[in-house]
Amino acid sequence: MRLHVPALEEPDYRRKLLADAATMSYNAGYERQEGYDSRTGTIDFSRERWPGWYARWTSSPDRYYAYLLTDDDTPAGEVCWRLDERYGGHMVSLIIEASRRGQGYGQTALKMLMAEAFENHPDIDRLIDVFPMSRTRAWNCFEACGFTTEGVEKSIRFGTPDTNRILVCTRGQYEKRYQAAASL
């Protein structure tokens, strides 16, 4: 598998991914941006949105976006990061297509994203993600890759209070875990 930064004309897979209710169900119940369906978690990513989105995600060193491609170059999901000053680091996002979940793609994609961040971007010191405590499969994936819980915070989902886990992997944690494993 490999990460592939798509060209401007390639975001059709992202459109498909964000429109799939099974894939985006984890994202349901929040109040988000225009084009977001809080019932399903899906997001409208029509062609007219591509140029602005692409310019934001490819013109800044504080952002990274790529598809996860299988060995036969079929997309299985997407990964990204963006600087998030509120949490004091780079917020990651990992979306694996629903039909590909439970097959190890999440851990592979997250490890590849971590390697890209910590090995190729010396200014990145912390990778962070925040998601509901109820997403145990996501937690298991992040924990297996070396993320630890830094704290919790309250949120609102489907109009009711929820609790989110704040997960972090620092450059030091990454180096200790992965560089030590590489030297064996």
Side-chain angles (χ1 to χ4, degrees):
M1 283 188 272
R2 67 186 176 91
L3 297 181
H4 168 70
V5 176
L8 175 59
E9 59 276 358
E10 291 183 285
D12 197 49
Y13 176 71
R14 177 171 168 74
R15 182 198 54 75
K16 174 188 165 199
L17 199 64
L18 296 180
D20 180 44
T23 296
M24 299 303 293
S25 63
Y26 76 92
N27 196 42
Y30 299 101
E31 295 301 322
R32 304 272 169 129
Q33 73 275 2
E34 178 186 342
Y36 167 77
D37 183 334
S38 65
R39 260 181 332 98
T40 63
T42 58
I43 300 169
D44 172 37
F45 191 61
S46 53
R47 285 189 180 272
E48 57 271 4
R49 292 177 180 240
W50 293 5
W53 173 87
Y54 192 80
R56 271 192 319 281
W57 281 91
T58 61
S59 65
S60 170
D62 290 329
R63 292 178 180 250
Y64 175 84
Y65 177 86
Y67 291 155
L68 173 67
L69 300 181
T70 63
D71 292 336
D72 66 358
D73 285 339
T74 303
E78 69 175 26
V79 297
C80 67
W81 77 65
R82 64 177 170 73
L83 182 61
D84 188 313
E85 293 181 9
R86 175 178 170 208
Y87 292 101
H90 288 75
M91 184 70 67
V92 301
S93 175
L94 167 66
I95 302 175
I96 301 299
E97 197 170 328
S99 64
R100 305 282 188 145
R101 291 184 181 151
Q103 301 171 36
Y105 288 108
Q107 283 188 33
T108 299
L110 186 54
K111 287 176 185 176
M112 293 170 81
L113 184 66
M114 294 166 69
E116 174 65 32
F118 292 130
E119 295 174 18
N120 298 323
H121 300 270
D123 58 315
I124 295 180
D125 291 320
R126 289 167 41 99
L127 294 178
I128 304 153
D129 202 355
V130 178
F131 50 78
M133 300 281 276
S134 60
R135 291 188 54 210
T136 55
R137 288 179 65 185
W139 160 242
N140 291 338
C141 173
F142 276 75
E143 181 183 44
C145 292
F147 279 73
T148 57
T149 300
E150 183 176 80
V152 295
E153 68 181 15
K154 300 297 181 192
S155 68
I156 302 293
R157 186 165 187 217
F158 291 113
T160 59
D162 201 358
T163 303
N164 291 337
R165 186 184 315 253
I166 303 168
L167 303 168
V168 173
C169 183
T170 65
R171 177 177 295 279
Q173 288 170 305
Y174 174 82
E175 289 172 349
K176 183 177 179 181
R177 181 182 189 109
Y178 291 101
Q179 290 180 350
S183 67
L184 296 178

